[in-house]
Structures are given as structure tokens and as C-alpha cells.
Amino acid sequence: MSDHRKDDEILGKAYDAKLMRRLLSYVKPYKGYVTLAILLNIVVAILPSVRPYLTKIAIDDYIANKDFDGLITIAALLLGTLLSQAVVQYFLTYFTELMGQKIIFDIRVQLFRHVERLALKFFDKTPIGRIVTRVTNDVESLNEMFSSGIVSVFSDIFVIIWIFFFMFTMSWDLALVTLSVIPILFYATFLFRKKVREAYRDVRYHLARLNSYMQEHITGMNVVQLFSKEEEELKKFSSINNDYKNANIRSVFYYAIFFPFVELLSAISIGLIIWYGGGEVVQNTLTLGVLIAFLQYTEMFWRPVRDLSEKYNILQTAMASSERIFKLLDDKTFVKNPENPVKLENVKGEIEFKNVWFAYNPGEYVLKDISFKINAGETAAIVGATGAGKTSIINILTRFYDIEKGAIFIDGVDISKVDKRDLRRYISVVLQDVYLFSGTIKSNISLGSGEITEEQIINAAKTVGAHDFIMKLPGKYDEIVKEKGATLSVGQKQLISFARALAYNPKILILDEATSSIDTETEILIQKAIEELLRGRTSIVIAHRLSTIQNADKILVMHKGELKEVGTHQELLARKGIYYKLYQLQYKDQEVIKSN
Ligand code: UTP
Ligand code: MG
């Protein structure tokens, strides 16, 4: 947790050259857009800066000399600059936005691809909300920087340069007087940025708290409601929400001071122009046109200055976001794939564990020195108390996690030398909790694989006995699965997951039997389905059903991470060891119920 807290607190520098270089590498494919945007920016900056100068000419050269034709020309020029500015502005906005969207599209794809490749170990330690935030919010703030931020910083700077240029060419002493407030502005901006930075860190931290709280409680809403914890949870939520509100108010406070202050400074510089410039006009050392042009330039000058402080925030947010994005991209929690993988071919399905040690966290072994062999075509049942390490055996056989010591062989080939995808082609796993995706029943069985035909899907469903209930659904195989299959019963979901495993026709089938008890009718259905699933392939079943266990060729008895007993049901009963005790405690009742 503390690690993630730090993540959200990353303030970063407002500008970090290394980060920026890496960010700009995403812009590279769109160099054309960037060049175009900068050119358009120069135009967009110069057009408004010319207008006060044109005003000055209009007043001094034409109004003063009562030259009506000249005045018309200037008016036409002014109109021309306005219209062309509008057109250029349109293209500028369009192209910069287009570029920004293209860039963040690339980044999102890269992020998603990266996350897909990460090992489950990563997801054990990272809340889902964080990963989602990276791909959505953080990428979005990069967009803001790419599309409006960076590019309009150019235009702001160009506008300021042009204004300086025109001011100093018209009257350098008045220019100096007008700009005399600038040092005060710099100092105020410096203070403002410092304060806003601190406030901003608070806002982010409390927002992250709010998000994780929401996520956790929406996910666990049934528990909250079941235990009538709504009031308590609301109180906790209110307190977090309150912290967030206060942090926001604090940050707004600095804005509320800074912007009026900038306004005040701009009013002072206007006052200075009228006082100093007006004096010069009275003494005839300055024309009225220049005075009016100066007043216009001052107004124009403060807008980009104000904008720049906002751009600073965009830049800072983007830097912090990119730091978090890159941190995720740099996370190398992969299950290692061998460099020259051995090809698994014509797999028969023999599985062997040789002195396997495994730990989720370094040093805390959950599997200790496990050795066993399952011949091709055999069914092995794993039994043991909860937490004994049954699911872990499966997690390492499918290489969701890598083992610490020992080796696992399939048909005599060390699976750590095999490409993960190759390995998983031969293994199907039916997990303890069924996971359905949004889509149709059909797509949930085939998992979108084009290799599996509709016929295979229906055959698989028929074999496991799911066909009948699917045909009773209004949409049949095209029935939409909503919200992880909330409208289906637990038993139905299980049958669908059996069909999914079968459709892939794996050589090795792994089944983590659900513990949840279901009605007798479905129970019988599932029993049959399991028999069908296991037929003709090597299977490992984490068994909770006595029938599955009794039919197994081999029973592996796990106890606190160790393999204590191996044998058939009868052999193990005769041994009167752990299995015998387990049987007395857990399975005997099932027999009693069945015989009734
Ligand atoms: P298992 O998940 O292998 O237990 O966890 P199991 O035998 O299948 O248990 P049931 O029957 O499904 O309940 C074995 C040990 O590994 C730890 C667990 O705390 C347990 O002590 N473990 C499991 C982790 O440390 N991290 C994990 O991600 C999963
Ligand atoms: Mg388990």
C-alpha cells in the first residue's frame, strides 16, 4: 500500500529532461504534425499582435490627417487578420487535437499490451483501480499536454515576443515603464506555483483514497448490504470525501488569490501607461496612436502570461502522469520465457513433478519438495484442507508463477524450457470461480478463438450437458452474458466453463472443483459433465466430490504444503493416515446423503 501511496504522491519536477525525451519519442512518428502545428502557431501569434500596430497607423496617419480612404484600408486589413486568424485557429486546433489523440492511442495500446504480458504476481500486489487509472486518467493528462499544452506554450511565447517587438519599436522608454511590473509578476508566480504544487499533491492523494474506497465497496456491495453496514461505510466515505473537498478548496484558494493579483498588476501597468505615456502625449513627444496601441498590447500581454501559469500545471500533471505510466511500463514482472524454447509436440500428457519448491513471497514456501508422477491418460485427484497448496500446484503447472527449486516435466520435457503459449495450448483449466466475460454464451465458450467452429461449441456444450439449458435461453447460444453472468446460476456458469475447457480439446485437463453446493439435479448433471471432461485425457482434479475422488487413478493428499500420501481410495483408507481422517470428516457425509 505504502508503495502505491508514493505513486500517487509523485509530484515530479515540472520539467524533467529525461522524462520529456522519452515522451517526445512518442511524438516522433508525427513529426509532420508537429512542424505544421509550430508554423500555424507562429501565424496565429503574429496576426493578433499586428492589430494594435494597425490601430496606431489608423490613428496617427489617417484619423489625424482625416484620410478616409486610408482608414478603410486599415479597417479591411484588421478584418482580414481577424478572419484569417479564425481559419488558422481552426486548423491548428484540429491538427494538434488529432496529433494528441493519435499519440495517446499509441500509448494506451502499448500499456494494455504490457499489462497483458505481466505475470499474475504483479496483479497480486497491484489494485485493479491503479492499473485502470494509468490507462485512462494518466494517459488523458498526457493528451492535454500534447494537444493543448506544449503546442500553445509556443503560441504564448510567440505572442509575448511579438508584443515586445512592437512595443520596443514604437517607444522603448514607454515599453520599459509598462513592463516594470514584470519582476513582481515573476515573484508572485514563483510563490503561486510552489503553493499550488503542495496543494495539488494533497488533492491527488485524497482522490486516490476516494477512488480505491469506492472501487472496493462497489465490488463488495453485496457484503456491505448483507451485513447492513451502509451507515458505517457512508460515514467512512464522508470523512474521506471531506478530506478531498478540503484539499480542493485549499488549492482553489491559491488560484483565487493569484488571478486577481495578476489582474491588479495588469491594471497597474495600464495606469503607468496612461500616466507616463499620457504625459508624453501632452508634451508632444508621443503620438496618441502609440498610446492606444500600448494600452491594447498590455491587455494582450497578460493573457498569455496567465495562460503560461496554467500551462505549467498541465505540464506538471503530465510529468507526474508520465512518470507513473513509465513506471508501469518498466515493470518487468514477467514469467520468463526461454530464449530458445523447446517445442512441445504430440503431447501424450504425462506429468511429473520432481522436488518442486514454490513460494508466492520469497522464503515463505507454500509447496515443499513435491514429487509425483501422473501417467498419460490418468486421472489424479488432489485433496487436502483449505490452504494446503492445491491451487498452487495448478498455478505452477500452467506457469502462472515460476517455481523456486526443482522441475516440472510434461512428456519428459522441462516446462520451464517451453514457450508459455505452447504449454497452455495443451492444458485447459477450469477454475474454482468461473469467470464469464461480457459477450454471448457462444463467445464465452470459444473465448473468441476463430479456430473453434460453431459445431465444436455446440458439441462441447452437449457433451457436458449444458446444451439443454442454453437452448431454453431466449437468445440460445447468442444470449448476451451480462455482468459476469449475474443472470446465470452457479451451476450453469460451471457447465459453461466445462464446455469452454472441452471446446479446446486439451491433452491435459485441470479442474479446480467448486466447493459451493448445488441442488441434487445440477449436481448429477455436473457429475456426468466431469466424467465426460476427464475421459481420454490426463487430468488433475482438485476434488471436493467423493465420486470424483473414488474414480481417480491416484489421489495426492496435500497437507500444509507437503505431499503426504499417494494412492487409490482403497489403499489410502487402509493406511488410516491423513486421508482416512479427511474422509471421516468430509466425505463420508456425502456418501450418507447419496445412499439416502
Ligand atoms: P492454495 O491456494 O494453494 O490453497 O494456497 P488451496 O489448497 O487451493 O486451498 P483451497 O482449498 O482452495 O481453499 C496455499 C497457500 O498459499 C498462500 C495461501 O495463503 C495458502 O496458505 N497463497 C495463496 C499466497 O500466499 N498467495 C496467493 O496468491 C495464493
Ligand atoms: Mg484452491
Short mmCIF file of all heavy atoms in Angstrom, two decimals, residues 519-544:
data_model
loop_
_atom_site.label_atom_id
_atom_site.label_comp_id
_atom_site.label_asym_id
_atom_site.label_seq_id
_atom_site.Cartn_x
_atom_site.Cartn_y
_atom_site.Cartn_z
N ASP A 519 -27.97 -27.83 -6.11
CA ASP A 519 -29.09 -28.77 -5.96
C ASP A 519 -28.75 -30.13 -6.56
O ASP A 519 -27.89 -30.25 -7.44
CB ASP A 519 -30.35 -28.20 -6.62
CG ASP A 519 -30.16 -27.99 -8.10
OD1 ASP A 519 -29.60 -26.94 -8.47
OD2 ASP A 519 -30.53 -28.90 -8.86
N THR A 520 -29.43 -31.15 -6.12
CA THR A 520 -29.10 -32.52 -6.49
C THR A 520 -29.16 -32.74 -7.99
O THR A 520 -28.31 -33.42 -8.56
CB THR A 520 -30.09 -33.51 -5.82
OG1 THR A 520 -30.57 -32.91 -4.63
CG2 THR A 520 -29.42 -34.81 -5.50
N GLU A 521 -30.13 -32.11 -8.63
CA GLU A 521 -30.29 -32.30 -10.07
C GLU A 521 -29.07 -31.79 -10.82
O GLU A 521 -28.48 -32.48 -11.65
CB GLU A 521 -31.54 -31.56 -10.53
CG GLU A 521 -32.15 -32.14 -11.80
CD GLU A 521 -33.42 -31.38 -12.15
OE1 GLU A 521 -34.14 -30.96 -11.22
OE2 GLU A 521 -33.66 -31.18 -13.34
N THR A 522 -28.67 -30.55 -10.51
CA THR A 522 -27.50 -29.97 -11.16
C THR A 522 -26.26 -30.76 -10.76
O THR A 522 -25.36 -30.98 -11.57
CB THR A 522 -27.32 -28.50 -10.73
OG1 THR A 522 -28.59 -27.89 -10.65
CG2 THR A 522 -26.45 -27.74 -11.71
N GLU A 523 -26.22 -31.20 -9.52
CA GLU A 523 -25.10 -31.98 -9.02
C GLU A 523 -24.87 -33.21 -9.91
O GLU A 523 -23.76 -33.48 -10.33
CB GLU A 523 -25.40 -32.39 -7.57
CG GLU A 523 -24.43 -33.37 -6.94
CD GLU A 523 -23.07 -32.74 -6.64
OE1 GLU A 523 -23.07 -31.58 -6.20
OE2 GLU A 523 -22.05 -33.40 -6.87
N ILE A 524 -25.96 -33.88 -10.22
CA ILE A 524 -25.87 -35.08 -11.07
C ILE A 524 -25.38 -34.69 -12.46
O ILE A 524 -24.51 -35.34 -13.05
CB ILE A 524 -27.23 -35.80 -11.15
CG1 ILE A 524 -27.57 -36.37 -9.77
CG2 ILE A 524 -27.20 -36.91 -12.19
CD1 ILE A 524 -29.00 -36.85 -9.63
N LEU A 525 -25.91 -33.56 -12.94
CA LEU A 525 -25.52 -33.04 -14.25
C LEU A 525 -24.02 -32.77 -14.28
O LEU A 525 -23.31 -33.15 -15.22
CB LEU A 525 -26.30 -31.74 -14.50
CG LEU A 525 -26.67 -31.41 -15.93
CD1 LEU A 525 -27.58 -32.47 -16.52
CD2 LEU A 525 -27.37 -30.05 -15.97
N ILE A 526 -23.54 -32.14 -13.23
CA ILE A 526 -22.13 -31.76 -13.17
C ILE A 526 -21.25 -33.01 -13.04
O ILE A 526 -20.20 -33.12 -13.65
CB ILE A 526 -21.90 -30.75 -12.04
CG1 ILE A 526 -22.44 -29.40 -12.51
CG2 ILE A 526 -20.43 -30.66 -11.66
CD1 ILE A 526 -22.31 -28.29 -11.53
N GLN A 527 -21.74 -33.94 -12.24
CA GLN A 527 -21.03 -35.21 -12.09
C GLN A 527 -20.76 -35.86 -13.44
O GLN A 527 -19.65 -36.26 -13.75
CB GLN A 527 -21.93 -36.16 -11.28
CG GLN A 527 -21.19 -37.19 -10.51
CD GLN A 527 -20.97 -36.68 -9.11
OE1 GLN A 527 -21.91 -36.48 -8.37
NE2 GLN A 527 -19.73 -36.45 -8.76
N LYS A 528 -21.82 -35.91 -14.25
CA LYS A 528 -21.73 -36.51 -15.58
C LYS A 528 -20.78 -35.69 -16.44
O LYS A 528 -19.96 -36.25 -17.17
CB LYS A 528 -23.11 -36.54 -16.24
CG LYS A 528 -23.94 -37.72 -15.82
CD LYS A 528 -24.98 -38.04 -16.91
CE LYS A 528 -26.18 -38.78 -16.36
NZ LYS A 528 -27.45 -38.07 -16.62
N ALA A 529 -20.94 -34.38 -16.34
CA ALA A 529 -20.11 -33.48 -17.14
C ALA A 529 -18.64 -33.73 -16.83
O ALA A 529 -17.80 -33.80 -17.73
CB ALA A 529 -20.48 -32.04 -16.86
N ILE A 530 -18.33 -33.89 -15.56
CA ILE A 530 -16.94 -34.10 -15.17
C ILE A 530 -16.42 -35.41 -15.74
O ILE A 530 -15.32 -35.48 -16.29
CB ILE A 530 -16.79 -34.07 -13.63
CG1 ILE A 530 -17.03 -32.64 -13.14
CG2 ILE A 530 -15.42 -34.57 -13.20
CD1 ILE A 530 -16.99 -32.49 -11.64
N GLU A 531 -17.23 -36.45 -15.66
CA GLU A 531 -16.82 -37.73 -16.23
C GLU A 531 -16.46 -37.58 -17.70
O GLU A 531 -15.47 -38.11 -18.17
CB GLU A 531 -17.94 -38.77 -16.07
CG GLU A 531 -17.90 -39.48 -14.72
CD GLU A 531 -19.18 -40.26 -14.47
OE1 GLU A 531 -19.74 -40.82 -15.44
OE2 GLU A 531 -19.63 -40.30 -13.30
N GLU A 532 -17.31 -36.83 -18.43
CA GLU A 532 -17.07 -36.60 -19.85
C GLU A 532 -15.77 -35.83 -20.08
O GLU A 532 -15.01 -36.12 -20.98
CB GLU A 532 -18.24 -35.83 -20.49
CG GLU A 532 -19.47 -36.67 -20.74
CD GLU A 532 -19.17 -37.88 -21.62
OE1 GLU A 532 -18.31 -37.76 -22.52
OE2 GLU A 532 -19.79 -38.95 -21.39
N LEU A 533 -15.59 -34.83 -19.22
CA LEU A 533 -14.41 -33.97 -19.34
C LEU A 533 -13.13 -34.78 -19.20
O LEU A 533 -12.15 -34.57 -19.90
CB LEU A 533 -14.42 -32.91 -18.24
CG LEU A 533 -15.13 -31.60 -18.49
CD1 LEU A 533 -15.02 -30.73 -17.26
CD2 LEU A 533 -14.51 -30.88 -19.67
N LEU A 534 -13.14 -35.71 -18.24
CA LEU A 534 -11.91 -36.42 -17.90
C LEU A 534 -11.59 -37.55 -18.88
O LEU A 534 -10.45 -37.98 -18.97
CB LEU A 534 -12.02 -37.01 -16.49
CG LEU A 534 -12.38 -36.02 -15.38
CD1 LEU A 534 -12.32 -36.70 -14.04
CD2 LEU A 534 -11.44 -34.82 -15.40
N ARG A 535 -12.59 -37.98 -19.61
CA ARG A 535 -12.43 -39.15 -20.47
C ARG A 535 -11.30 -38.94 -21.50
O ARG A 535 -11.27 -37.95 -22.21
CB ARG A 535 -13.75 -39.43 -21.20
CG ARG A 535 -13.69 -40.67 -22.07
CD ARG A 535 -15.08 -41.16 -22.39
NE ARG A 535 -15.80 -41.54 -21.15
CZ ARG A 535 -17.12 -41.64 -21.07
NH1 ARG A 535 -17.87 -41.35 -22.10
NH2 ARG A 535 -17.69 -42.01 -19.94
N GLY A 536 -10.40 -39.87 -21.54
CA GLY A 536 -9.38 -39.90 -22.60
C GLY A 536 -8.30 -38.85 -22.49
O GLY A 536 -7.66 -38.52 -23.47
N ARG A 537 -8.13 -38.23 -21.34
CA ARG A 537 -7.03 -37.27 -21.22
C ARG A 537 -6.46 -37.31 -19.80
O ARG A 537 -7.10 -37.79 -18.88
CB ARG A 537 -7.48 -35.87 -21.59
CG ARG A 537 -8.66 -35.38 -20.82
CD ARG A 537 -9.19 -34.07 -21.39
NE ARG A 537 -10.49 -34.25 -22.05
CZ ARG A 537 -10.72 -33.95 -23.31
NH1 ARG A 537 -9.78 -33.44 -24.06
NH2 ARG A 537 -11.91 -34.14 -23.84
N THR A 538 -5.24 -36.82 -19.70
CA THR A 538 -4.65 -36.73 -18.37
C THR A 538 -5.37 -35.62 -17.62
O THR A 538 -5.55 -34.54 -18.15
CB THR A 538 -3.16 -36.35 -18.48
OG1 THR A 538 -2.57 -37.15 -19.48
CG2 THR A 538 -2.46 -36.51 -17.15
N SER A 539 -5.76 -35.90 -16.40
CA SER A 539 -6.44 -34.84 -15.67
C SER A 539 -5.99 -34.76 -14.22
O SER A 539 -5.62 -35.77 -13.62
CB SER A 539 -7.95 -35.01 -15.69
OG SER A 539 -8.32 -36.17 -16.36
N ILE A 540 -6.00 -33.55 -13.74
CA ILE A 540 -5.76 -33.33 -12.32
C ILE A 540 -6.99 -32.64 -11.79
O ILE A 540 -7.41 -31.61 -12.31
CB ILE A 540 -4.53 -32.44 -12.09
CG1 ILE A 540 -3.29 -33.09 -12.68
CG2 ILE A 540 -4.35 -32.16 -10.62
CD1 ILE A 540 -2.03 -32.29 -12.47
N VAL A 541 -7.59 -33.22 -10.80
CA VAL A 541 -8.80 -32.62 -10.25
C VAL A 541 -8.58 -32.30 -8.78
O VAL A 541 -8.18 -33.17 -8.01
CB VAL A 541 -10.01 -33.58 -10.36
CG1 VAL A 541 -11.27 -32.86 -9.93
CG2 VAL A 541 -10.14 -34.11 -11.77
N ILE A 542 -8.81 -31.04 -8.45
CA ILE A 542 -8.82 -30.71 -7.03
C ILE A 542 -10.22 -31.04 -6.59
O ILE A 542 -11.19 -30.35 -6.94
CB ILE A 542 -8.49 -29.23 -6.82
CG1 ILE A 542 -7.08 -28.98 -7.30
CG2 ILE A 542 -8.65 -28.87 -5.35
CD1 ILE A 542 -6.66 -27.57 -7.21
N ALA A 543 -10.33 -32.16 -5.90
CA ALA A 543 -11.66 -32.74 -5.75
C ALA A 543 -12.30 -32.44 -4.41
O ALA A 543 -11.65 -32.48 -3.37
CB ALA A 543 -11.56 -34.24 -5.96
N HIS A 544 -13.55 -32.11 -4.47
CA HIS A 544 -14.35 -31.98 -3.26
C HIS A 544 -15.47 -32.99 -3.28
O HIS A 544 -16.17 -33.16 -2.29
CB HIS A 544 -14.93 -30.57 -3.16
CG HIS A 544 -13.88 -29.51 -3.14
ND1 HIS A 544 -13.04 -29.33 -2.07
CD2 HIS A 544 -13.50 -28.61 -4.06
CE1 HIS A 544 -12.20 -28.35 -2.34
NE2 HIS A 544 -12.45 -27.89 -3.55
#
